Amino acid sequence: MIEQESLAVRTAMSEARDAETVAQDLARQLIHPHLGFVLFFCSAEYDLPALGSALHQYFGGVRMVGCTSAGEITSQGYGRSCVTAVGFDHRNFSIACELIDEMDRFSLTDAQQLVERLGSDCRSNSLAPIKDHSFALTLLDGLSSREEIVLSALSAAFGSIPHFGGSAGDDNHLTDTHVYYDGKFHSGAAAVVLINTWLDFEVFTTHHMLPRTEKLVVTRVDSHARRVYELNAEPAAEEYARLIGVEVSDLDHQLFAAHPLAVRINEHYYVRSIQKVNDDLSLTFYCAVENGIVMTAMRPGPLMPNLEAVFERLEQRLGAPLLTIGCDCFLRRLEIDGNGSSDDISAFLRRQQVIGFNTYGEQFNGMHINQTFTGVAIGRPGGRAGEKGAR
């Protein structure tokens, strides 16, 4: 069992700057006879064409999917300007993946056909039934403004299969984000991964934001561009700055992280984070925003107790985690870096076996959300579901 657990997943990281050295580092740490799939996240600072070519060369026929990030989560905790990766043993995971290269033209029919192909590929490994033993991961171009189109179609096609993901970043530059598939980095694209396993798992999402009493109504918006021109019939940036008690000229990512807005659906609040202030005093958001919606002003609560509670619940169900794939909003990372809690959070993520990245948005069962920690926790062989699959 110890050998099986050690090979079920292997993690790797590289802080090398040269693309070929990165590929060599990852290959040395990950490759073994039963390696079936590699997932990775990397800084956008790399020479991406060179990195894509080197990874393809060193990993041969092993399927790989990844994306650029706004910060990495490695086996050592939070990282910057590096590559973090996880390799999956094909005896424990049957994994299929595809690329959506035209996100704006992706339809429900496309989604249904894609999900059927992914399911067929996973079933060919005869590992476990697709139903109740599979989850999906989506990695989307974080600056495409087409996440909702793709997620809506995929959510309908996946049905009861839980799914989560993150939008690629570019080290907070907000200019160029990429997903990696089949040896190349692609922009304006999305990678969809179906993971079938006999191990127990749970897809989850959490945030630490608490509602205030103030409300803002979207009164003029370009939904296609996610650009809000008016809040409460006033210039959007001016009304938002008034709400949080600063000048428009003071608005930046740190303030956006500390003073998000959210939409309430039933009893839950879903954050709609602000990306930037435009010259005409409009605000561009990371998520779709519609005319007439009411947004609630939010404030950060304690972040660490929120994470601890989530992982305590996960451990009660799954046991100690074998692996957690985490999509952690880059605005959370900015808050953590700003309040001096980075070392503590980083150590906690390391204990929870988190590999992942800081995103420009997260996805959870068809919803595009912001300022969350979203992911999947996977139990160790020998856990509740592991005992079933080990017979």
Side-chain angles (χ1 to χ4, degrees):
M1 182 60 70
I2 293 175
E3 179 185 0
Q4 185 182 29
E5 183 172 311
S6 66
L7 291 180
V9 297
R10 283 185 176 179
T11 62
M13 70 169 295
S14 176
E15 296 178 297
R17 303 313 310 149
D18 174 69
E20 184 165 354
T21 305
V22 169
Q24 289 174 339
D25 286 348
L26 298 184
R28 184 180 64 254
Q29 296 171 71
L30 293 178
I31 289 180
H32 62 87
H34 303 290
L35 179 64
F37 183 84
V38 173
L39 175 68
F40 75 92
F41 309 102
C42 69
S43 167
E45 296 173 3
Y46 286 99
D47 179 339
L48 296 181
L51 180 59
S53 177
L55 289 173
H56 189 65
Q57 175 187 348
Y58 278 87
F59 281 87
V62 177
R63 298 301 299 274
M64 299 186 74
V65 164
C67 71
T68 55
S69 68
E72 299 77 50
I73 307 175
T74 78
S75 56
Q76 301 304 309
Y78 279 138
R80 290 275 189 203
S81 303
C82 66
V83 181
T84 182
V86 56
F88 296 86
D89 188 320
H90 68 76
R91 296 172 297 179
N92 299 277
F93 298 92
S94 181
I95 301 178
C97 56
E98 287 207 18
L99 183 74
I100 301 170
D101 56 5
E102 293 186 338
M103 293 173 67
D104 54 346
R105 298 183 181 181
F106 192 66
S107 68
L108 176 57
T109 300
D110 294 330
Q112 290 169 333
Q113 294 172 348
L114 182 149
V115 170
E116 178 57 37
R117 291 193 299 271
L118 293 177
S120 178
D121 285 351
C122 284
R123 278 190 291 269
S124 67
N125 201 16
S126 301
L127 195 63
I130 298 298
K131 182 176 173 59
D132 299 327
H133 297 276
S134 305
F135 62 89
L137 165 68
T138 48
L139 300 176
L140 311 182
D141 182 331
L143 298 176
S144 66
S145 299
R146 296 294 181 272
E147 291 96 328
E148 286 82 8
I149 293 173
V150 172
L151 290 174
S152 176
L154 285 175
S155 181
F158 278 129
S160 63
I161 297 174
H163 50 110
F164 77 100
S167 298
D170 66 345
D171 299 289
N172 304 354
H173 297 304
L174 298 174
T175 54
D176 210 8
T177 60
H178 294 81
V179 298
Y180 176 91
Y181 180 86
D182 196 23
K184 296 179 181 179
F185 284 90
H186 306 260
S187 60
V192 184
V193 184
L194 183 64
I195 301 174
N196 175 241
T197 181
W198 55 267
L199 297 172
D200 205 5
F201 63 84
E202 183 173 332
V203 172
F204 66 91
T205 187
T206 188
H207 68 77
H208 65 299
M209 294 296 162
L210 303 173
R212 295 167 43 176
T213 57
E214 300 92 337
K215 310 288 184 184
L216 295 173
V217 181
V218 177
T219 48
R220 189 162 74 90
V221 63
D222 179 347
S223 298
H224 183 76
R226 300 175 177 172
R227 190 163 176 168
V228 175
Y229 291 92
E230 290 183 1
L231 292 167
N232 296 342
E234 299 290 339
E238 291 181 353
E239 188 69 358
Y240 174 76
R242 182 198 60 75
L243 172 75
I244 66 174
V246 302
E247 298 295 324
V248 170
S249 58
D250 295 329
L251 294 176
D252 59 15
H253 286 140
Q254 292 283 0
L255 285 172
F256 296 152
H259 304 278
L261 304 174
V263 177
R264 181 177 177 178
I265 301 174
N266 297 323
E267 299 303 313
H268 299 284
Y269 290 89
Y270 298 98
V271 175
R272 295 289 182 264
S273 294
I274 299 169
Q275 182 184 118
K276 62 181 178 179
V277 180
N278 301 303
D279 292 339
D280 59 1
L281 299 180
S282 64
L283 297 172
T284 298
F285 283 70
Y286 282 103
C287 282
V289 181
E290 303 296 331
N291 207 49
I293 66 169
V294 177
M295 292 199 285
T296 301
M298 307 289 284
R299 62 179 178 84
L303 192 150
M304 179 66 95
N306 172 264
L307 271 181
E308 289 174 332
V310 169
F311 278 95
E312 181 179 352
R313 179 184 62 77
L314 290 168
E315 185 166 347
Q316 287 174 353
R317 181 182 167 230
L318 304 172
L322 172 71
L323 172 73
T324 304
I325 304 172
C327 301
D328 187 21
C329 183
F330 89 107
L331 292 172
R332 289 167 56 94
R333 180 79 178 265
L334 287 177
E335 178 188 341
I336 290 165
D337 288 345
N339 64 23
S341 63
S342 180
D343 288 346
D344 289 341
I345 301 293
S346 189
F348 180 80
L349 296 177
R350 184 170 64 247
R351 292 194 298 272
Q352 300 303 325
Q353 310 296 322
V354 178
I355 298 295
F357 73 116
N358 296 113
T359 77
Y360 281 173
E362 304 78 60
Q363 300 113 41
F364 179 73
N365 288 341
M367 293 185 297
H368 184 210
I369 48 183
N370 295 131
Q371 274 180 268
T372 73
F373 186 95
T374 296
V376 64
I378 302 171
R380 297 177 181 274
R384 180 172 62 82
E387 292 172 355
K388 301 175 186 176
R391 63 180 184 269

